[in-house]
Every structure is written in C-alpha cells, then in structure tokens.
Amino acid sequence: MARTGTNNNIQAKLVLLGDMGTGKTSIVLRFVKGQFFNYQESTIGAAFFSQVISLNEATVKFDIWDTAGQERYHSLAPMYYRGAAAAIVAYDITSMDSFGRAKKWVQELQRQGNPNLVMVLVGNKADLEAKRKVDTKEGESYAQENGLYFLETSAKTAQNVNELFYEIAKRLAGACPSQTAGIKLQNGSLGRGRSVFCCSV
C-alpha cells in the first residue's frame, strides 16, 4: 500500500501474551508471512518478528515479541512487555482455562505495564465454533469492563488477523505525539537517519 499523508514513520514494540496452545505464533505467522501450519512447535522463551503496515496517516513498523505460553517462562515475560506500545492477550475460544489465564495477563499488564498501552483481547481459533467454550459475549464484556479492544480471530482461515494489526496500528498512529512508551516517531523516510523521538522506548 502506498504511503500518503504526513509521512510519519512509527516504530512500535508489540508483545503477544497468552497460554500455551492459544495460537499466538500462528497469528503472527499468518500476519507476517501469510502462512499457517496445523502443527506449530511451542515457542521457547520468545520469538521476534517485524512487519510494516502503511496507513494514510503513518507507516507503522511493528517489532513483535511472541512470548512462550508455558508457565516455566512466565518470569521472563516482563522483559518482553516492559516498554511495549501494544499488547495482544490471546485465548483459545475452545478453552475456558486459557480465557482465565488471559484475564491474569490483563491484570498483570494493568499493574506493571505502560498506562498508555494499547491492549487487545483476542479470542483465537474462531474456526472451531463447534468446540467453543468461551462465548463471544463473555469475551466482549470482559474487554469492555477493562477498556480493551476485542476481536475473535482464526489464524487458520486468516479471519480478522490483518484487521487486528491494522486496528492496533491505527490506535498507535492516533496516540503520537502523546508520550506513549514503546513508540519511536520518525519524520520523513526511514532511510534519512534523522530521528525525532516522540516517546521513549
């Protein structure tokens, strides 16, 4: 997509959190590479991806940290979400346990994260409607109560995956030039080397 408008280039740190098996890596791979694998190996520690989205008002480069969902890696999570501009907290719509775990991640981010954090609650595996355990309204209600953006996605069918990241990009673009941690704002092209920071990382 061609860039128009103000030519602002925003670099934003985005972190994915959620229980093991919720499909965090699958969501990122679908967004970054357009790929989906029925069997995805568990992430160890965290994996890093980057992707650029062009909006009318800005170009947003995401630095994406996909964290491991296993409990033994929980202590590492603050290292990845500290200073993040945005967070995706994912759960599996076929697992009530994963929804409960997502709520704990939301609470942790609210306690320790950036107060200006763009946080999205994502119910993944929407293609498994027949096995659904978490009602859409339940996810929506929790998100509304906690001031989160809510979306149900399917990494398998690509349902709402691009929409998820575009929505985050739009919200981040709207946040600058306010002091939002995790965002760097550059005026003009990324190649000029002259950076104007609207925010600290």
Side-chain angles (χ1 to χ4, degrees):
M1 187 190 298
R3 274 191 291 131
T4 58
T6 58
N7 265 355
N8 283 332
N9 294 295
I10 297 168
Q11 188 171 348
K13 180 180 177 182
L14 184 154
V15 64
L16 282 92
L17 301 163
D19 216 352
M20 183 176 69
T22 54
K24 299 185 299 298
T25 302
S26 294
I27 290 171
V28 179
L29 285 175
R30 172 61 81 180
F31 170 58
V32 174
K33 299 184 178 180
Q35 297 174 339
F36 177 81
F37 303 100
N38 281 312
Y39 176 74
Q40 180 67 49
E41 287 187 12
S42 296
T43 303
I44 297 172
F48 178 79
F49 302 86
S50 65
Q51 181 67 299
V52 174
I53 285 182
S54 293
L55 306 171
N56 286 333
E57 62 271 31
T59 297
V60 180
K61 179 179 182 285
F62 283 120
D63 293 331
I64 303 168
W65 289 97
D66 169 28
T67 65
Q70 297 99 314
E71 186 60 37
R72 67 178 180 271
Y73 295 118
H74 187 129
S75 61
L76 299 176
M79 186 167 63
Y80 298 109
Y81 66 65
R82 192 175 293 121
I88 294 171
V89 179
Y91 67 90
D92 174 354
I93 69 160
T94 72
S95 166
M96 189 56 80
D97 284 348
S98 74
F99 184 53
R101 189 83 184 91
K103 290 180 179 180
K104 290 181 179 177
W105 278 119
V106 169
Q107 290 164 3
E108 184 168 334
L109 288 170
Q110 287 171 336
R111 284 197 310 270
Q112 302 184 44
N114 163 20
N116 297 314
L117 186 72
V118 174
M119 205 186 320
V120 186
L121 181 66
V122 172
N124 193 36
K125 305 190 183 180
D127 54 289
L128 300 178
E129 184 61 41
K131 297 181 179 179
R132 179 187 287 275
K133 296 287 191 296
V134 185
D135 190 71
T136 302
K137 287 183 179 177
E138 198 169 352
E140 282 178 342
S141 296
Y142 180 77
Q144 196 168 14
E145 288 164 11
N146 287 274
L148 316 176
Y149 180 64
F150 174 76
L151 206 60
E152 287 193 343
T153 61
S154 168
K156 186 172 186 176
T157 67
Q159 176 188 332
N160 282 340
V161 172
N162 285 343
E163 288 82 350
L164 165 65
F165 289 92
Y166 269 91
E167 182 62 34
I168 294 170
K170 283 190 285 188
R171 288 171 184 241
L172 292 175
C176 267
S178 66
Q179 295 295 312
T180 303
I183 297 178
K184 288 189 287 186
L185 179 68
Q186 296 173 302
N187 291 324
S189 74
L190 287 166
R192 286 182 192 161
R194 178 177 165 272
S195 300
V196 179
F197 292 88
C198 81
C199 326
S200 59
V201 178

